[in-house]
Amino acid sequence: MKRILVIHGPNLNLLGKREPEVYGRITLKQINNELRKVAKKNNVTVTIKQSNHEGEIVDLIGKAKKKFSGLLINPAAYTHTSVAIRDAISASQIPTVEVHLSNIYSREEFRQKSLISPVCKGAILGFGIKSYILGLQALIDLLNAK
Ligand code: DQA
């Protein structure tokens, strides 16, 4: 069975209470439950982590190579700043899909650049929880096509 690592970056633990006008009222727990359902339907396992710490995310990705065949990541604010996370993905060579709840290109200028996208297979953004569902499905399809 294929194993997928899901990483939620900083402040995503606050979903539901955090800027609902931008991110909606959905909680991280609800997102994770939906991801588990998609995984089950597709016969893959998901391991889900959330971290507010850049180094911890780098470590998770660094260790993922041995255990996981794919990575689904919402790097949150680190999307726009983290060369370290980008390099970790690049070094790991794990097929990665980037997701965002909001459309980062329609927001503040500082969000309109992702340092992560160039090292990912693709990105899905702007569809709320659906970005995660579509992203996971795309990653599974990609891994199954290998
Ligand atoms: C986000 C977009 C980022 O700009 C922001 O810092 C987040 C969430 C999203 O899912 O829309 O924390 O990644």
Side-chain angles (χ1 to χ4, degrees):
M1 204 186 265
K2 293 215 163 75
R3 296 158 70 120
I4 291 173
L5 177 63
V6 177
I7 299 178
H8 304 286
N11 299 309
L12 293 172
N13 53 314
L14 303 176
L15 284 178
K17 290 175 283 200
R18 174 194 182 199
E19 298 177 86
E21 64 289 355
V22 179
Y23 300 114
R25 297 237 170 244
I26 196 123
T27 63
L28 196 61
K29 202 170 164 193
Q30 288 171 304
I31 293 177
N32 291 342
N33 284 341
E34 292 306 311
L35 290 176
R36 288 197 186 93
K37 280 190 210 158
V38 175
K40 199 167 175 202
K41 229 178 16 196
N42 285 276
N43 252 326
V44 302
T45 64
V46 280
T47 298
I48 303 177
K49 306 276 185 195
Q50 190 277 326
S51 175
N52 293 325
H53 305 279
E54 186 176 21
E56 195 178 341
I57 295 173
V58 170
D59 284 343
L60 283 170
I61 298 168
K63 284 188 220 135
K65 176 115 182 115
K66 284 191 215 123
K67 274 173 82 184
F68 299 97
S69 5
L71 171 66
L72 183 77
I73 185 166
N74 182 349
Y78 290 139
T79 306
H80 321 294
T81 63
S82 183
V83 177
I85 292 175
R86 175 199 173 114
D87 285 353
I89 294 170
S90 193
S92 76
Q93 301 266 307
I94 295 177
T96 299
V97 173
E98 176 187 357
V99 295
H100 298 282
L101 295 155
S102 65
N103 178 355
I104 58 174
Y105 299 104
S106 69
R107 299 185 61 195
E108 303 96 322
E109 206 178 333
F110 67 87
R111 292 186 206 276
Q112 293 179 14
K113 180 159 178 68
S114 168
L115 298 187
I116 309 301
S117 291
V119 294
C120 294
K121 293 289 182 189
I124 298 180
L125 49 126
F127 299 109
I129 184 175
K130 266 216 126 183
S131 296
Y132 277 94
I133 306 298
L134 294 169
L136 180 57
Q137 192 64 58
L139 182 58
I140 292 168
D141 292 351
L142 190 85
L143 297 176
N144 285 339
K146 276 195 154 190

